[in-house]
Amino acid sequence: ICDFAVGQSRQLYGLTIQSERPSHRLMEQWHPLGVVAIISAFNFPVAVWSWNAALAAVCGDSTIWKPSEKTPLTAIAVIKIAQRVCKQTGADPAIFSLLIGDGPSVGQKLAGDSRVPLVSATGSTRMGFDVAKTVHGRLGKSILELGGNNALIVSKSADLDMAVRSIFFGSVGTAGQRCTSTRRVIVHDSVADNLREQLLGAYKSMRIGNPLDRNTLVGPLIDPGSVDNVQKSIERVKGEGGEILFGGEKLDGSEFPGGCYMRPCLANARPEFEIVKHETFGPLLYLMNYSDFDEALTMHNDVPQGLSSSIFTNDMREAEKFLSTVGSDCGIANVNAGTSGAEIGGAFGGEKQTGGGRESGSDSWKSYMRRQTNTINFSTELPLAQGITFGDDASSATA
């Protein structure tokens, strides 16, 4: 991301705009905002900071980082690296500042401080609502990257081997603790049984354990409370009429210390279940069937969140419709690629209760700057725009 940001720093383009007034020119340029607050979550404790901090730095801003109170050590470590680099290059290390603390004592104060024109916050939808009310209550700016309830459609023409591998990685990778983790699979009736059998085989083969062991595929959740939250969601699936196909149990013993391990869960569900519309931040995957493609799109979009989405199909019409205005309502929509694993070159973020913010690539840099429109008059006259005259001598009017 630092390499990307350095390249981006030479492409912070403004505009030259043709003026309607003779001997005038309009110009648009971008200026730094000043201080940017970064509030990050536990699950990608360095990446989210870097997406924001690297772009903010090349835009001329300084950053104050409030990491998750669950992951302070990685924040301290990476800030010390940034400090060392700044000293080696003659920059002020305060460009990258760090505040450790919880939401009420640090996060809310950053969000409410008028000296911080932009707050970039990553976390739950509940947290996003609180940050938005505070920041927008003082007419500040925000970048919100919140919950994702990401779905993957498997059509009747899909390459099932590719689909299964993408679903498996998207649902159990990082123990289902990515904002882009695959939460829902919407599969065509004609291939549903085959897909379920292949997924069951993959789930039964996964190795769970120490994340420092290269042979481990699934590690722990962040804390016992997260395991409990997934367990509660599993019980709600059962209560609403769903079927647990595999997993879901807590794992104990010397191989699974700290109460942070569980077996990833695969469940049959219905799109109308209330729990399906809620993001469970852990390894719980819902399987749902469809018969008509428009039905699949309706099921896909019928959740409050709108981060990442995917379709596996070899039907060009289905692929194009999925990417069209009547298709996925998410900020990220992929064809024959999973919901997880976004590239930094594209803008990252989502719609609806995901918050609408964009980080990383494309023109996301504009969020870290303020736009200024300039008028340059290189004549000796002062005409008004839109042909307006003021007073007897139009040329003496003030532009």
Side-chain angles (χ1 to χ4, degrees):
I1 188 65
C2 289
D3 288 340
F4 177 86
V6 169
Q8 185 79 79
S9 70
R10 295 295 182 266
Q11 301 178 70
L12 308 180
Y13 298 132
L15 293 172
T16 296
I17 305 166
Q18 185 64 40
S19 173
E20 66 182 71
R21 290 175 282 184
S23 300
H24 282 61
R25 178 170 65 87
L26 293 179
M27 183 175 76
E28 183 179 277
Q29 60 180 333
W30 295 83
H31 294 303
L33 283 175
V35 177
V36 175
I38 303 169
I39 301 174
S40 64
F42 72 84
N43 55 334
F44 280 85
V46 173
V48 171
W49 169 80
S50 68
W51 295 347
N52 285 274
L55 285 183
V58 301
C59 289
D61 301 320
S62 298
T63 54
I64 301 174
W65 181 18
K66 185 264 177 222
S68 169
E69 52 268 37
K70 297 180 181 181
T71 52
L73 298 184
T74 48
I76 294 170
V78 77
I79 284 294
K80 284 186 175 293
I81 294 171
Q83 181 184 46
R84 185 170 70 245
V85 171
C86 285
K87 287 182 176 178
Q88 290 171 351
T89 57
D92 187 343
I95 292 171
F96 304 108
S97 295
L98 177 67
L99 288 175
I100 300 291
D102 60 19
S105 62
V106 175
Q108 280 297 319
K109 288 183 179 179
L110 277 176
D113 196 319
S114 61
R115 295 171 297 177
V116 180
L118 172 65
V119 177
S120 177
T122 300
S124 68
T125 300
R126 177 193 56 77
M127 180 275 290
F129 276 115
D130 291 341
V131 170
K133 288 177 183 177
T134 302
V135 174
H136 298 164
R138 60 176 175 84
L139 299 182
K141 298 180 179 181
S142 67
I143 300 172
L144 299 178
E145 202 283 284
L146 310 174
N149 195 349
N150 315 297
L152 185 152
I153 297 174
V154 182
S155 79
K156 59 184 177 182
S157 68
D159 182 322
L160 288 188
D161 179 63
M162 287 179 61
V164 168
R165 284 187 285 137
S166 291
I167 294 166
F168 189 47
F169 169 74
S171 59
V172 307
T174 52
Q177 296 171 114
R178 294 173 182 248
C179 48
T180 55
S181 289
T182 305
R183 310 288 182 200
R184 300 175 292 137
V185 172
I186 303 166
V187 56
H188 192 270
D189 290 331
S190 64
V191 296
D193 290 342
N194 192 347
L195 183 79
R196 280 181 176 82
E197 288 305 311
Q198 291 193 47
L199 280 174
L200 278 169
Y203 268 65
K204 290 175 181 177
S205 70
M206 78 179 85
R207 180 170 175 176
I208 305 168
N210 184 349
L212 300 180
D213 184 343
R214 288 185 176 274
N215 293 317
T216 295
L217 195 64
V218 179
L221 276 71
I222 184 64
D223 54 30
S226 294
V227 176
D228 291 339
N229 286 336
V230 180
Q231 300 295 308
K232 291 175 184 177
S233 292
I234 292 171
E235 291 305 311
R236 285 186 61 183
V237 172
K238 295 176 183 177
E240 293 191 55
E243 176 190 7
I244 304 303
L245 300 175
F246 180 83
E249 63 270 21
K250 291 184 180 180
L251 298 175
D252 300 309
S254 59
E255 289 185 88
F256 310 110
C260 299
Y261 289 84
M262 64 167 287
R263 200 174 303 281
C265 184
L266 193 60
N268 280 334
R270 295 286 306 160
E272 63 268 20
F273 291 179
E274 282 302 313
I275 188 60
V276 169
K277 301 180 190 302
H278 168 79
E279 181 193 28
T280 298
F281 208 69
L284 173 56
L285 179 66
Y286 305 119
L287 301 181
M288 299 174 283
N289 288 22
Y290 79 94
S291 56
D292 176 74
F293 188 61
D294 286 340
E295 175 194 9
L297 290 176
T298 299
M299 293 165 62
H300 177 282
N301 293 341
D302 191 25
V303 294
Q305 309 85 0
L307 178 53
S308 187
S309 60
S310 172
I311 184 172
F312 277 78
T313 182
N314 285 318
D315 185 322
M316 182 190 69
R317 291 185 178 91
E318 287 182 340
E320 290 293 339
K321 189 169 187 177
F322 183 74
L323 300 179
S324 76
T325 186
V326 298
S328 169
D329 62 0
C330 295
I332 300 169
N334 301 328
V335 176
N336 295 328
T339 62
S340 196
E343 296 185 28
I344 60 172
F348 183 89
E351 303 300 322
K352 302 190 293 187
Q353 288 189 10
T354 301
R358 294 296 187 274
E359 299 169 338
S360 192
S362 186
D363 65 348
S364 299
W365 61 269
K366 292 180 178 178
S367 298
Y368 303 89
M369 305 192 81
R370 60 181 178 88
R371 187 195 312 246
Q372 185 181 79
T373 301
N374 312 120
T375 302
I376 299 97
N377 178 3
F378 52 96
S379 75
T380 58
E381 306 295 328
L382 288 171
L384 294 170
Q386 288 87 52
I388 296 172
T389 59
F390 184 78
D392 295 333
D393 183 0
S395 65
S396 66
T398 301

